[in-house]
Amino acid sequence: MYRFLDLTLDPQRLELRRANSQIEVEPQVFSLLVYLIENRERVVTKDELIESVWDGRIVSDATMSSRISAARTALGDDGKAQRLIRTFPRRGFRFMSEVVEDEAVAASVAPAAPGLEQAPSRSTVSEKPTIAILPFKNMSGDAEQDYFVDGIAEDIITALSRFHWFFVISRNASFTYRDRTVEARRVAEDLGVRYVLEGSVRRAGNRVRITAQLVDATTGKQVWAERYDRELADIFAVQDEITNTIVGTIEPELGHVEREQARRKPPENIHAWDHFQRGLWHFYQFTDDKNDRARQEFRRAIDSDPDFSQAYAALANVHVLDVVYVSTQSRERSSSEALVAAKKA
């Protein structure tokens, strides 16, 4: 965690707090703040921010200015004073405050007694799915292969970050476990995550074997595992292929697990996210009755969280399904309600 003035920024929990009050920050603005603070010893260029925060997409000066302004507002700063975020014309931006780095989140978790596993408390595990990608283990016995091994984990973190329905812990936090043997449950406790992806790489001559497994850290159960054997004709092509294959498999697997968990939860523990996942489960049955149940769940998700855009989008899909396949109400009414929900999303 980063502490400065009366503020605390926690990249692991995606929170910015002043004293005991949490400050609402858009995800993109939060990422910008983290990058500026992590690189506070120097001026950060606009190109660096575009690469880090916007994944290299083209960004206008107006967009950049609005995000910097939002970051200042969140911190209680402004463009005139620039106490915390200073603009250097034609050069970039720099975070100016003294910062204290604090690892109290990890240290506050008491170690388990010998021979016993400590189950993560509900307060440390995010209600919304959160995943940590641990650095893969280099099993080749060749330190020169570390760049290839680390590159796979880094690429997976970057690729998974493009999915907005779950949180991916940053590389800086995940890579604190490099060269350490730690159980998935302990990682979940330390980082406040629900899922952990770990793996290994073994290279022999011109062949490489990569293994990966996804663990539900709240139960210790393995959700998915796979092994890949490849020829290393082009090392970067292999790295891209493995990354895309793993990411393309993990994303739907997580969705399936989340829906099953939401179905089994007792009513008193249901949140907006759980209603949303329950609604998806009903929606994918493609029947009149299940479509109506999905509509109810998505509306409950919206009632619990009026700013839950995915729930509005899913509700629009329910109405579209009414038009295309089922006949629970008139097509005209369904089309109108679908448009309203889609616009709201």
Side-chain angles (χ1 to χ4, degrees):
M1 294 193 294
Y2 301 105
R3 302 184 188 277
F4 49 95
L5 302 180
D6 60 342
L7 295 160
T8 301
L9 185 139
D10 189 341
Q12 297 175 10
R13 298 183 184 278
L14 303 176
E15 291 179 353
L16 175 66
R17 295 189 298 273
R18 175 175 281 109
N20 293 322
S21 300
Q22 184 169 337
I23 301 170
E24 293 296 326
V25 184
E26 294 180 11
Q28 207 169 61
V29 175
F30 190 91
S31 297
L32 185 148
L33 276 173
V34 170
Y35 193 82
L36 288 175
I37 291 173
E38 288 178 344
N39 296 275
R40 59 189 177 276
E41 299 302 326
R42 61 185 180 84
V43 175
V44 174
T45 67
K46 175 184 173 182
D47 288 343
E48 286 182 82
L49 289 176
I50 290 173
E51 184 63 33
S52 174
V53 179
W54 282 273
D55 294 325
R57 297 191 298 273
I58 296 175
V59 177
S60 68
D61 289 341
T63 298
M64 178 71 71
S65 296
S66 71
R67 297 300 184 272
I68 292 292
S69 177
R72 285 184 173 130
T73 300
L75 300 178
D77 197 3
D78 60 61
K80 184 176 181 179
Q82 297 190 12
R83 295 181 303 114
L84 296 176
I85 299 176
R86 180 172 298 175
T87 299
F88 291 82
R90 295 183 296 280
R91 292 182 60 190
F93 309 92
R94 184 180 170 193
F95 191 81
M96 303 302 296
S97 176
E98 290 286 336
V99 177
V100 176
E101 296 188 21
D102 185 1
E103 297 185 11
V105 171
S108 66
V109 182
L116 295 177
E117 290 185 344
Q118 215 176 16
S121 66
R122 291 199 59 79
S123 62
T124 61
V125 180
S126 172
E127 286 299 335
K128 196 170 183 179
T130 312
I131 184 171
I133 315 300
L134 298 187
F136 281 34
K137 294 180 180 179
N138 181 2
M139 307 295 288
S140 304
D142 181 3
E144 292 186 1
Q145 300 303 318
D146 285 347
Y147 79 95
F148 174 67
V149 177
D150 289 350
I152 291 176
E154 290 170 352
D155 284 354
I156 292 173
I157 290 172
T158 300
L160 283 177
S161 297
R162 297 191 176 102
F163 295 100
H164 300 299
W165 65 268
F166 58 86
F167 295 123
V168 183
I169 295 298
S170 71
R171 178 198 185 280
N172 287 352
S174 296
F175 270 61
T176 59
Y177 296 93
R178 197 172 188 272
D179 301 323
R180 294 168 57 189
T181 301
V182 186
E183 292 185 355
R185 284 194 178 190
R186 186 55 186 272
V187 175
E189 292 174 349
D190 290 351
L191 300 182
V193 299
R194 190 179 302 179
Y195 300 99
V196 174
L197 178 73
E198 52 192 5
S200 64
V201 179
R202 179 181 286 106
R203 181 174 178 178
N206 202 40
R207 289 188 62 82
V208 63
R209 170 170 292 178
I210 300 172
T211 63
Q213 66 170 348
L214 180 66
V215 178
D216 182 342
T218 60
T219 63
K221 292 183 178 180
Q222 187 181 82
V223 175
W224 163 86
E226 190 56 85
R227 186 184 76 189
Y228 306 93
D229 293 306
R230 295 291 189 275
E231 295 282 348
L232 278 177
D234 183 338
I235 192 169
F236 293 113
V238 170
Q239 188 170 315
D240 288 345
E241 180 196 353
I242 295 298
T243 298
N244 292 334
T245 302
I246 291 176
V247 170
T249 305
I250 286 177
E251 196 269 338
E253 284 288 345
L254 281 176
H256 174 73
V257 173
E258 285 293 304
R259 287 191 288 275
E260 289 300 319
Q261 286 186 349
R263 287 179 59 213
R264 293 194 297 267
K265 275 193 174 183
E268 62 270 18
N269 290 336
I270 293 297
H271 301 269
W273 177 254
D274 300 311
H275 283 304
F276 174 66
Q277 292 296 333
R278 282 187 173 192
L280 288 178
W281 186 88
H282 289 298
F283 177 77
Y284 289 131
Q285 307 305 306
F286 299 113
T287 66
D288 288 25
D289 177 60
K290 294 297 184 182
N291 204 49
D292 191 53
R293 290 288 301 277
R295 187 186 349 265
Q296 296 172 27
E297 293 293 346
F298 293 143
R299 283 174 174 165
R300 287 168 183 157
I302 292 168
D303 289 340
S304 298
D305 183 357
D307 294 325
F308 196 169
S309 63
Q310 287 172 287
Y312 287 105
L315 181 61
N317 274 329
V318 166
H319 293 307
V320 169
L321 201 63
D322 279 339
V323 174
V324 178
Y325 292 114
V326 302
S327 54
T328 56
Q329 56 186 20
S330 73
R331 289 190 172 188
E332 290 76 12
R333 180 182 172 187
S334 293
S335 298
S336 176
E337 292 183 357
L339 186 59
V340 169
K343 285 183 175 180
K344 184 66 175 177

